[in-house]
Amino acid sequence: MAAGFKTAEPLEYHRSFLRENCRPDGRELGEFRPTTLNINSISTADGSALVKIGNTTVICGIKAELAVPPSEAQNKGYIVPNVDLPPLCSSRFRAGPPGEQAQAACQFIADVIESSDLINLEELCIEKAKLCWVLYCDIMCLDYDGNLLDTCITVLLAALKTTQLPEVTINKETDLAEVDIEKKRRLKINRHPVGSSFAVFDDSIIIVDPTAEEESLSTALMTVVTDEEDRLCAVHKPGGTSLSGEKLQHCINRAITRNKEIRKLLDKVNESTKTMK
C-alpha cells in the first residue's frame, strides 16, 4: 500500500513523514546520511580520494603538470577542476559533452576554490613567469543519489590533502626544468571548506543532505560552504523560493557543525593511513 502511495503521490508521501519531523529513509530533518572516505584510491594519480554520502559516490584524481604561469598572475600556479556525470551514475545523465548540472557543479567548485583560499596559488609557482604547477582535478560521480556538491567539495579537499609534488628546479645553464621524483612535498592546504546542502519543502520546511528524490520534489535547493574558522565561503542557491534571514542563519549554523564533522573524518582517515604505513 505504502509503495503505491509513494509512486502515485510522491510529494504527499514525503509530506506525511515531514509532518512527523522525519523522512522516508528514517533520518531526522537535520541529519546527514552516513559519510565514508577512502584516500589514495587511484595509484596513478598524484593525489586521490573517494567519498560516499549515502549512496552518492564520487571519486577525485589529481594530476600535477608543469606549465607557464598565466600572464595575468605570473607568480601563481593554477587549479583546474572538472566534474563528470557519466550515464553510469544515473539514468538522468546522457553520454556526450558535459550537461548543465555538470557545468554548474564545475563552476561552483572553481568558485569555492577561489573564495575559500583553499590553496595559496603562489606556492604552486616554481619560477615567476617561467614555470608553475597546474593541478588538474578530475571529479567523477560513480553513483548519483542527490547532494552532489557536498560530495564534490569533500572529495576534492581529501584528494588535495593527499597530493604530493616532486621537487623541481630550473637548471641555470640549460634553462630546463629538472624534476626530482625522489624528493616530494605535500601540498599545503590553507583552508578547509566544507559544503552543506539543504532542500526546502513547501517554502518552509528545511531538510539537510537531500536524496535525488527529495531534490526533485523540493521548492528550493541551497548549498552553504564554511571553513574551519566558521567563515562563510560561498552560498549557492539556484532560484526557487526565498528564505528568511532566520532560516538562512539556521542553515549556516548547521553548516558550521558539519565542517567540524568532516574535518574530524578527514583527520581520522589520514591518521589511520599513517599508522598503516
Side-chain angles (χ1 to χ4, degrees):
M1 182 68 187
F5 177 36
K6 182 183 177 183
T7 309
E9 294 285 348
L11 187 55
E12 276 308 318
Y13 176 77
H14 274 76
R15 279 180 181 142
S16 67
F17 284 90
L18 296 174
R19 279 195 285 272
E20 304 296 323
N21 283 330
C22 68
R23 292 149 79 172
D25 58 11
R27 284 186 289 158
E28 292 177 9
L29 305 189
E31 189 181 341
F32 277 83
R33 291 169 289 179
T35 304
T36 57
L37 163 66
N38 285 309
I39 56 174
N40 300 318
S41 320
I42 307 170
S43 58
T44 52
D46 295 305
S48 62
L50 182 142
V51 170
K52 283 187 77 165
I53 298 181
N55 289 329
T56 297
T57 309
V58 178
I59 195 164
C60 176
I62 292 172
K63 289 298 280 183
E65 290 186 8
L66 293 169
V68 176
S71 55
E72 69 278 5
Q74 297 188 335
N75 62 336
K76 293 180 180 179
Y78 48 107
I79 302 176
V80 182
N82 180 55
V83 178
D84 188 14
L85 299 173
L88 79 94
C89 75
S90 168
S91 57
R92 73 176 65 203
F93 303 118
R94 297 278 168 264
E100 197 179 320
Q101 192 171 350
Q103 287 180 40
C106 192
Q107 186 57 55
F108 176 67
I109 298 296
D111 292 346
V112 168
I113 290 169
E114 192 176 341
S115 64
S116 67
D117 198 20
L118 175 57
I119 283 173
N120 181 357
L121 296 179
E122 288 181 13
E123 291 190 5
L124 294 178
C125 185
I126 298 156
E127 190 157 324
K128 187 178 176 181
K130 273 192 174 178
L131 200 63
C132 72
W133 285 111
V134 50
L135 303 180
Y136 291 100
C137 309
D138 286 316
I139 301 167
M140 180 186 276
C141 183
L142 305 177
D143 191 347
Y144 180 86
D145 187 21
N147 200 357
L148 175 73
L149 298 182
D150 288 13
T151 322
C152 285
I153 294 169
T154 301
V155 81
L156 174 67
L157 179 59
L160 286 169
K161 279 177 82 76
T162 69
T163 300
Q164 296 190 56
L165 301 175
E167 192 176 278
V168 180
T169 50
I170 292 184
N171 187 311
K172 295 291 180 233
E173 290 174 17
T174 61
D175 211 28
L176 296 173
E178 293 178 354
V179 181
D180 186 350
I181 54 170
E182 297 302 313
K183 288 184 184 171
K184 288 193 173 181
R185 64 174 177 88
R186 259 188 204 288
L187 200 58
K188 188 172 169 245
I189 305 296
N190 241 7
R191 304 262 178 192
H192 292 72
V194 173
S196 294
S197 289
F198 304 87
V200 183
F201 273 81
D202 296 331
D203 305 345
S204 58
I205 300 168
I206 296 174
I207 63 168
V208 74
D209 180 26
T211 62
E213 185 173 30
E214 287 170 337
E215 284 180 351
S216 67
L217 296 170
S218 67
T219 50
L221 296 169
M222 181 172 73
T223 301
V224 176
V225 183
T226 61
D227 68 12
E228 65 268 43
E229 291 178 8
D230 302 347
R231 207 171 56 120
L232 190 61
C233 303
V235 175
H236 178 67
K237 188 176 175 295
T241 49
S242 59
L243 284 179
S244 66
E246 186 188 349
K247 283 196 160 62
L248 180 60
Q249 191 56 55
H250 162 78
C251 293
I252 292 169
N253 293 343
R254 182 65 185 95
I256 287 168
T257 310
R258 176 65 172 172
N259 187 295
K260 292 179 176 67
E261 294 164 3
I262 290 294
R263 278 194 295 119
K264 211 170 173 180
L265 175 65
L266 285 165
D267 291 343
K268 187 177 157 191
V269 171
N270 279 312
E271 281 305 311
S272 66
T273 52
K274 277 179 196 167
T275 53
M276 280 166 67
K277 287 174 185 175

